[in-house]
Amino acid sequence: MKRSSFVATLATVALSISAILVGVTSANASVTLPKGAFLPCSAGGGAYCIDSVSITPTGGKAIALTWVASGTQGAAAGNTNGVASGKALPGRWSADGAFTNENYDGLYIEAQAANEFVPWIMLDAKPTYSPGNNVTLAALTTSATTPVNLNSDALISVKMRISDFKLGVTYGIATEATVDVQAAVFEIAGYPVKVPQAKSSKDCSGDAGVSSALVTQFQSILVPSNDPLGFSFEGGSGKIYVGSNGLCKLSTPVWNAEKKSLSYKASAPRLAPDGKSVNTGFYYATISSADALALWGLKRAEDAASALTISVRTSEGGSTAATKTVAVKNGRIIIQVFGFEFPDPMLDISLNPSFDLMASSAGAASNMSAAGTVRTTASPKPTPTPKVTSISCIKGNQLRKVTGVKPKCPTGFKKRS
């Protein structure tokens, strides 16, 4: 496992990274990213470019968006009351009917090098507002740097060409996210989440930090495996995603080979903008079956619920009490942990010491042998696989998505109809 230590800090509303490096510069990198934001591929983006963007409304079909470079082109927002123009943007992804129920008229996908020190890619979906011929950030009337909320029930999908960038891991701000990479094309799909914003790094520690706002966002960091400053392990597929609603102190996941433990940390101010309510957090991880085999020796993803131990620990005043679920869907292990309090919760995914890997391997081998005789013997009726579903749970202005077999809302939340 190759890893350097990094800490994420909040500049404005964007997810930014400040590097803590000793004697390492970008000149040592194996991956060289273009300077500035990636262009749409259709606009001559080159080896690194944004190929396509789509949104899928609740209960609807995916809507493919088209890149337009001016405000006079593309669809209009359904309602722009309370929306102001923020910084100027070079264009937006839009389509007729895509944003009729929103207070923004498109998305600007800002993808670029995370900073000058590391060859990591930062991806940020920004809501747009296009008065006249201009395209701008759709901002609050009270703050030109704070974006309006993205729709947390609309799935965002982004596909990018990433040249010789070999994906090691993806992490960030989203839920129910999946990643895929095929032939130098990266694809991510997920839902935006409400994130407590911090005015300074001091607000991210201790029990007195107060968030300046709660903003629904969609952001991710792509870390390469083919770079000294990357993330890699033998047999890794690059199809691991870890997400949270904490924007402070973000870093790459950390693998401890001795403990067989994958850890991840994100934080946020403890208190909501009212200075009284406590912000609660979640972690959402998807791990491909290939990565589960490489990390923990799991030959059957279906064994994840008994083979893996999920825990949350904290070094400060946050609560470690949480609801945890482990499910398998489409060959991916889905881990959800939610209901814990900020600040500084650390997620640990480790191999259960009482789990019998040998028995699991024997079971997998037996299943393979049985499958090999299907042509000459009658096949038993297969046991139906439990169906994994998702529900939305609401408590005041907090929205949680819960995925699993017979999912239930956490204490204090009600199922959203």
Side-chain angles (χ1 to χ4, degrees):
M1 181 75 62
K2 296 177 290 186
R3 181 183 181 273
S4 293
S5 175
F6 296 89
V7 177
T9 57
L10 188 64
T12 52
V13 295
L15 187 158
S16 61
I17 300 175
S18 59
I20 303 174
L21 302 173
V22 179
V24 179
T25 68
S26 59
N28 299 106
S30 299
V31 175
T32 301
L33 299 176
K35 294 182 179 180
F38 300 176
L39 297 175
C41 300
S42 60
Y48 287 87
C49 61
I50 302 170
D51 192 62
S52 64
V53 180
S54 68
I55 62 168
T56 305
T58 302
K61 296 182 179 180
I63 303 173
L65 306 183
T66 302
W67 172 256
V68 293
S70 71
T72 55
Q73 299 173 284
N79 181 6
T80 56
N81 292 335
V83 180
S85 291
K87 70 174 184 178
L89 299 173
R92 59 185 170 125
W93 293 86
S94 186
D96 291 338
F99 302 99
T100 54
N101 296 320
E102 314 297 349
N103 59 351
Y104 50 95
D105 57 20
L107 296 175
Y108 174 62
I109 306 300
E110 185 175 63
Q112 60 186 2
N115 62 30
E116 62 182 305
F117 301 104
V118 294
W120 301 359
I121 298 173
M122 182 186 76
L123 185 152
D124 186 5
K126 299 177 181 291
T128 62
Y129 172 50
S130 309
N133 193 47
N134 301 318
V135 179
T136 67
L137 176 71
L140 300 178
T141 54
T142 54
S143 172
T145 59
T146 304
V148 299
N149 292 323
L150 295 174
N151 185 347
S152 61
D153 289 326
L155 181 77
I156 297 176
S157 300
V158 179
K159 187 179 292 186
M160 294 192 304
R161 298 178 192 174
I162 54 174
S163 186
D164 58 349
F165 187 103
K166 305 298 183 183
L167 188 64
V169 69
T170 308
Y171 67 95
I173 305 297
T175 191
E176 294 191 38
T178 58
V179 297
D180 195 17
V181 59
Q182 301 287 341
V185 176
F186 166 83
E187 185 171 9
I188 183 170
Y191 292 90
V193 295
K194 192 174 292 292
V195 180
Q197 307 291 298
K199 289 180 291 186
S200 72
S201 59
K202 293 180 181 179
D203 292 320
C204 298
S205 301
D207 59 5
V210 179
S211 48
S212 59
L214 301 175
V215 182
T216 305
Q217 298 175 276
F218 182 87
Q219 302 176 349
S220 287
I221 294 287
L222 287 63
V223 183
S225 62
N226 58 328
D227 190 274
L229 302 181
F231 176 97
S232 67
F233 55 89
E234 186 175 354
S237 72
K239 297 178 182 179
I240 295 179
Y241 179 88
V242 186
S244 177
N245 62 331
L247 196 57
C248 304
K249 303 182 181 180
L250 287 174
S251 68
T252 59
V254 178
W255 172 247
N256 186 315
E258 181 180 352
K259 296 181 179 180
K260 296 286 186 182
S261 175
L262 187 70
S263 301
Y264 179 72
K265 183 177 182 179
S267 190
R270 177 171 173 78
L271 301 177
D274 63 8
K276 298 178 181 178
S277 306
V278 177
N279 290 319
T280 58
F282 78 87
Y283 284 114
Y284 182 96
T286 59
I287 303 171
S288 73
S289 55
D291 290 307
L293 174 61
L295 291 172
W296 296 291
L298 290 184
K299 291 189 175 182
R300 291 167 17 104
E302 292 78 8
D303 291 331
S306 56
L308 300 179
T309 298
I310 314 301
S311 61
V312 175
R313 52 190 170 88
T314 180
S315 59
E316 300 215 30
S319 167
T320 59
T323 301
K324 306 157 192 171
T325 65
V326 180
V328 178
K329 185 176 182 180
N330 299 328
R332 297 175 186 266
I333 298 171
I334 301 171
I335 297 171
Q336 291 191 100
V337 185
F338 51 90
F340 54 81
E341 297 176 355
F342 288 119
D344 287 342
M346 173 77 81
L347 171 68
D348 283 322
I349 306 170
S350 58
L351 185 65
N352 184 347
S354 64
F355 180 74
D356 191 342
L357 277 174
M358 295 300 293
S360 175
S361 298
S366 175
N367 291 340
M368 291 172 65
S369 298
T373 63
V374 71
R375 293 185 180 180
T376 57
T377 61
S379 300
K381 187 174 181 179
T383 301
T385 301
K387 185 178 181 181
V388 177
T389 58
S390 297
I391 61 174
S392 295
C393 304
I394 191 167
K395 176 184 177 183
N397 63 356
Q398 299 182 61
L399 183 67
R400 297 281 185 276
K401 289 183 182 293
V402 183
T403 300
V405 179
K406 297 182 180 180
K408 296 181 180 180
C409 291
T411 303
F413 284 74
K414 294 182 179 180
K415 184 177 179 180
R416 186 174 183 180
S417 58

